Amino acid sequence: MELEKTAKVSLVGAGPGAKDLITVRGLRVLNEADVILYDALISDELLSELRTDIPKIYTGKRCGKHSHTQDEINELIVKYAFEYGHVVRLKGGDPFVFGRANEEIEYVESFGIPVSIIPGISSSIAVPSSQGIPMTKRGVSSSFWVMTATKKDGAFSQDLQYAAKSSTTMVILMGIRKLSEIVDEVSKYRGRMTPIAVIQNGTTENESCVVATLDSIHHHTPNIDTTMHGIIVIGDVVADHPSFFEEEVQRILHGAI
């Protein structure tokens, strides 16, 4: 006779993209799951590492194309917890960095279902690091600011303006489709020669990184896939990327012709 399973939920951060950048604890909990609900940025390679008998259900959101609304996801987590037992909610990066984790936790706990949290490596730090771009550097930048480009109503977040007025390293998530507007806004407060990097598919085999300045990034837009997520880094620390000097040499040569 099969024992009735106790409803519980684990919220797991999958890390920045590569399958082996999930934490040891996160991988263990995934293999203990009765069912997994995973988001758009979860790699197939990571899912293939897990037990094949565990149901894996996609609940992702990608560039405005949502398979489920947030309310529907909340309801699914509770539904499957009562049906299956242990639900693992698998989210890219760290669940608490623009992951709406608190909304899911509040909803699930309102049904008396316990939630445990396994943090993940945030892509906001790990992806620039994988390209050799530091967040802070002595004498260059003493802080970094992670932000989203726009608010729920589509307007620019005031944080973008506040950060642009400072010398902080700016790390902008969910801003690829508004790259030109972001560049124009930041250029009001920082010099046009400020370095910028746009990184997509971070830490994976398909990782791409475009390095330029606020003045020249528009020349590189054909190499940026606006249908894909990415991370924008703005600040003098981007000059540590080896491609930045190549970009500068090309700019100087082009200007001399």
Side-chain angles (χ1 to χ4, degrees), residues 37 48 60 66 71 91 96 135 138 246 249:
L37 274 62
S48 69
H66 297 180
D71 287 343
K91 302 171 81 73
F96 284 90
M135 293 291 94
R138 188 163 56 178
E246 296 174 15
V249 168

Side-chain angles (χ1 to χ4, degrees), residues 109-222:
E109 289 184 338
S110 73
F111 287 84
I113 301 172
V115 179
S116 60
I117 300 161
I118 296 87
I121 301 171
S122 175
S123 59
S124 62
I125 300 173
V127 168
S129 294
S130 73
Q131 284 287 335
I133 299 172
M135 293 291 94
T136 61
K137 183 179 180 181
R138 188 163 56 178
V140 177
S141 177
S142 60
S143 66
F144 62 95
W145 197 333
V146 180
M147 70 201 80
T148 181
T150 55
K151 298 182 293 186
K152 189 175 182 180
D153 62 4
F156 271 132
S157 168
Q158 275 193 307
D159 289 344
L160 187 75
Q161 183 185 105
Y162 295 149
K165 289 180 177 180
S166 74
S167 61
T168 191
T169 301
M170 300 174 66
V171 183
I172 304 166
L173 308 182
M174 299 177 287
I176 294 296
R177 286 184 295 170
K178 292 203 169 187
L179 177 61
S180 60
E181 294 98 320
I182 290 169
V183 168
D184 289 343
E185 181 68 17
V186 175
S187 295
K188 295 176 184 177
Y189 310 100
R190 298 199 183 189
R192 300 289 297 184
M193 300 314 297
T194 300
I196 179 174
V198 179
I199 311 166
Q200 296 186 284
N201 296 312
T203 74
T204 70
E205 290 183 359
N206 299 322
E207 183 175 58
S208 65
C209 181
V210 172
V211 178
T213 63
L214 294 178
D215 187 53
S216 64
I217 187 64
H218 65 279
H219 294 305
H220 299 272
T221 50

Side-chain angles (χ1 to χ4, degrees), residues 36-42 56-70 72-73 76 89-92 104 229:
I36 296 169
L37 274 62
Y38 68 96
D39 276 352
L41 298 179
I42 307 304
K56 303 168 185 68
I57 299 163
Y58 177 72
T59 57
K61 307 182 184 85
R62 185 181 290 275
C63 288
K65 298 179 181 179
H66 297 180
S67 64
H68 297 85
T69 66
Q70 187 60 54
E72 288 171 342
I73 292 171
L76 280 175
R89 178 76 172 106
L90 183 60
K91 302 171 81 73
E104 296 180 3
H229 287 279

Side-chain angles (χ1 to χ4, degrees), residues 11-14 91-102 117-120:
L11 196 63
V12 176
K91 302 171 81 73
D94 180 87
F96 284 90
V97 181
F98 301 116
R100 303 181 74 169
N102 59 314
I117 300 161
I118 296 87

